[in-house]
Amino acid sequence: MPQIGPYTLHTIDCGRFRLDGGAMFGIIPQALWSRRMPPDQRNRIGMCMRSLLLEAKDQLILIDTGAGDKYDQRFRDIYALETSTLTESIQQSGFHVDDVTDVILTHLHFDHAGGSTQYSGDRVVPTFSNAIYHLQQDHLLEARNPSIREKASFMPQNFEPIATNGQLKTHSGSKMLYPGLEVIVVNGHTTAQHLVKITGEQGTLLFGADLIPTVHHLRGPWVMAYDVRPLATIREKSRILHDAYHQNWHLFFEHDPDTEVASVRETDGDYATQMPRTLHELF
């Protein structure tokens, strides 16, 4: 199994969905982005929800939880949302949801945090009953008082039961959360999203979340219309990719349907992927 420092790495499949291609690529003309990700008849592109499970001696840490299963048929149709495979994928990795000790939520948009809770009868309860959920304090405040731009993406049922149950731990700013595991705060996509960087003698892996959701978002101006501060996204991405290139990091893509992990190369003053691979091929 792939290893970085004290962590054995497991890729977790949380299912598939579709989002509007124009929204995913902002100002980039459809003639360009559609060559890379062809849309369906409703202009939606296929995306995955891919999480990362870190196995350590006394911890089992999950990064993001996909969309989950708490949605009506209309919602499922809008996003072509498939049934969540989160718990099954964790089981296929040799674990049970009750084994998870920590859940790091990069942010609370439904496709990243929806699997954090589930129905138990007519109640919504935390999916991971023994876990502490980690989130930035400023992002929680934003989710509880959202702008009209993000309101549809923040669903209280995905996070308030965790807080009510005393399982939510908030943080303020970038920090080393555990040995070899750092959270890095960025604000372009949404207020106080935090990326996760895992570092050890074998190398460095960055969980890019929605700063770099697919390999096609490495280039500077290729940013989402969903981003609340697109110019900040461009600056943050430039800084992160500079470090990734010069320090030989690998990037883990949460939403790319075809590429799980890749390194970075420079091209014409910008960045692109190099040697896309799976975790098993890299480490």
Side-chain angles (χ1 to χ4, degrees), residues 37-283:
M37 300 189 80
D40 64 12
Q41 67 277 14
R42 293 165 66 174
N43 205 48
R44 302 174 303 180
I45 58 174
M47 310 248 293
C48 76
M49 291 173 284
R50 182 184 291 118
S51 297
L52 186 61
L53 189 66
L54 309 178
E55 174 192 358
K57 182 179 179 181
D58 298 313
Q59 286 180 293
L60 192 62
I61 304 168
L62 179 66
I63 306 172
D64 278 354
T65 62
D69 278 329
K70 304 184 302 295
Y71 308 102
D72 61 25
Q73 188 54 45
R74 179 176 178 274
F75 188 93
R76 289 182 175 279
D77 178 67
I78 290 171
Y79 296 104
L81 189 62
E82 298 179 2
T83 299
S84 173
T85 54
L86 171 65
T87 57
E88 291 83 355
S89 187
I90 290 174
Q91 289 170 356
Q92 289 169 8
S93 296
F95 306 100
H96 188 273
V97 293
D98 291 344
D99 298 327
V100 175
T101 61
D102 298 82
V103 178
I104 301 174
L105 296 174
T106 62
H107 60 299
L108 292 174
H109 289 170
F110 79 87
D111 54 315
H112 295 257
S116 299
T117 61
Q118 62 185 3
Y119 277 110
S120 177
D122 59 355
R123 296 174 57 241
V124 177
V125 300
T127 302
F128 304 96
S129 59
N130 296 320
I132 296 298
Y133 291 72
H134 300 269
L135 185 71
Q136 288 291 314
Q137 174 65 30
D138 286 348
H139 185 70
L140 179 62
L141 295 175
E142 187 76 12
R144 284 174 166 169
N145 301 278
S147 68
I148 191 171
R149 185 183 180 94
E150 289 189 280
K151 189 173 183 179
S153 292
F154 290 130
M155 302 175 182
Q157 64 177 350
N158 290 339
F159 55 90
E160 291 298 0
I162 301 167
T164 299
N165 211 43
Q167 292 179 243
L168 184 60
K169 182 175 182 178
T170 58
H171 303 273
S172 182
S174 302
K175 63 187 296 185
M176 192 67 70
L177 196 61
Y178 292 115
L181 193 156
E182 180 183 1
V183 293
I184 301 171
V185 175
V186 289
N187 293 284
H189 178 62
T190 185
T191 298
Q193 174 185 208
H194 57 204
L195 315 181
V196 184
K197 187 175 76 167
I198 305 109
T199 303
E201 60 274 18
Q202 299 86 348
T204 295
L205 181 68
L206 180 75
F207 189 95
D210 271 352
L211 178 68
I212 314 171
T214 77
V215 297
H216 311 297
H217 289 85
L218 268 74
R219 293 185 179 275
W222 290 59
V223 302
M224 294 184 279
Y226 295 118
D227 292 358
V228 296
R229 304 174 188 90
L231 294 180
T233 293
I234 292 172
R235 291 192 297 270
E236 290 164 347
K237 190 164 55 169
S238 176
R239 172 174 55 85
I240 291 289
L241 291 175
H242 175 274
D243 290 347
Y245 174 70
H246 288 281
Q247 298 175 33
N248 197 31
W249 300 355
H250 299 287
L251 306 181
F252 186 94
F253 299 100
E254 188 164 7
H255 287 317
D256 195 294
D258 303 310
T259 302
E260 184 176 320
V261 182
S263 54
V264 177
R265 63 183 172 88
E266 283 189 316
T267 173
D268 300 326
D270 214 325
Y271 296 96
T273 53
Q274 175 172 273
M275 297 185 297
R277 299 175 178 176
T278 66
L279 283 176
H280 287 274
E281 293 172 313
L282 276 176
F283 299 103

